[in-house]
Amino acid sequence: MDTPTRKRFVELSHVIRDGMVTYPGLPAPTITEWLSREASVERYAAGTTFRMNQITMVGNTGTYLDAPSHRWPDGVDLSGLPLERLADLPGVVVRVPPSARAVDAALLRAHLPEAAPAGGAVAAGAVAGRAVLLDTGWSAHFGTERYADADHPYLTADGAEWLVSAGATLVGIDSINIDDTGPSAAGARPAHSILLAAGIPIVEHLRGLGDLPTDGFRFSAVPPMFAGLDTSPVRAYAIVD
């Protein structure tokens, strides 16, 4: 008899708490009771109580996903994203060296598990159809002032273009932004622009990528099916055989 395959679940999302700061300048979430257990006594049978909560927050809270409409007016919103781009995706982790800030095409090719030749050809199966997760280690600073420093790691324009041409299905990063937010960037957001124009969802503020192997896992990051919403928190996780 074959031995059943054991699966390991890896949590890749930050906990959302009342008042937490994800991105400086954006309002923090507020989590309150809409109906308390005490107040529910009047609504239900004896001994039966419930609590209902209310949350107010921006979509860019915690670990969240960007739909194409976040950047492009004619892009699909969260309700238009097919599950095939969000769930049960074969994943690959790119280990970004601590000394690297800009993740460009050359770095991606050099640090993929199936390294591609210097000429740029993609090793078979290295990226196509996969969730490509950039493990920069920056999530260690989440919840501190350091997390928002302008020297955070990011994906360059040519790195984004390479991922599009290589056929990535989704791209994620454990940094505060997938783009450079420093003064020299002057507000440009090429990684967002390029990936979302190609219909590739982006997941930012991941954590726990160091707990994953570089290959051999399935990744999911599914937001609620909100119509008219461009970004939303997700419960991102991976399943490792």
Side-chain angles (χ1 to χ4, degrees):
M1 179 182 293
D2 293 338
T3 302
T5 301
R6 299 186 63 183
K7 295 182 178 180
R8 177 168 62 95
F9 286 79
V10 181
E11 180 65 68
L12 302 176
S13 289
H14 292 285
V15 177
I16 296 176
R17 296 183 172 89
D18 180 73
M20 70 177 282
V21 175
T22 300
Y23 202 106
L26 297 182
T30 57
I31 302 173
T32 58
E33 281 188 346
W34 182 82
L35 178 70
S36 68
R37 296 193 184 278
E38 293 74 17
S40 75
V41 169
E42 300 177 0
R43 298 186 176 212
Y44 303 101
T48 302
T49 63
F50 294 95
R51 183 173 69 161
M52 297 183 188
N53 301 105
Q54 178 172 285
I55 182 167
T56 302
M57 66 181 182
V58 294
N60 302 54
T61 298
T63 303
Y64 57 79
L65 180 140
D66 296 337
S69 60
H70 179 50
R71 172 65 179 85
W72 301 107
D74 58 349
V76 298
D77 63 13
L78 295 173
S79 68
L81 286 172
L83 285 172
E84 291 81 4
R85 281 200 169 272
L86 307 171
D88 197 31
L89 304 173
V92 60
V93 172
V94 178
R95 306 283 189 215
V96 179
S99 59
R101 176 171 177 254
V103 181
D104 57 17
L107 188 151
L108 289 169
R109 289 193 294 267
H111 290 87
L112 279 166
E114 302 175 44
V122 182
V127 170
R130 297 194 182 195
V132 180
L133 309 180
L134 308 181
D135 176 17
T136 71
W138 200 253
S139 63
H141 304 300
F142 188 84
T144 71
E145 293 184 1
R146 175 79 172 116
Y147 190 65
D149 282 359
D151 63 344
H152 66 83
Y154 65 93
L155 180 66
T156 66
D158 85 307
E161 290 170 346
W162 187 81
L163 288 172
V164 171
S165 66
T169 295
L170 177 149
V171 178
I173 192 169
D174 60 354
S175 185
I176 190 170
N177 201 301
I178 201 167
D179 271 297
D180 183 6
T181 62
S184 62
R189 296 292 187 268
H192 276 91
S193 300
I194 293 165
L195 295 173
L196 296 178
I200 299 174
I202 299 169
V203 181
E204 293 169 307
H205 310 279
L206 287 163
R207 72 172 178 91
L209 296 182
D211 295 331
L212 292 177
T214 55
D215 202 352
F217 64 91
R218 313 289 294 190
F219 176 80
S220 296
V222 183
M225 207 170 181
F226 287 117
L229 204 62
D230 309 317
T231 64
S232 172
V234 293
R235 185 74 179 266
Y237 65 93
I239 299 176
V240 183
D241 285 335

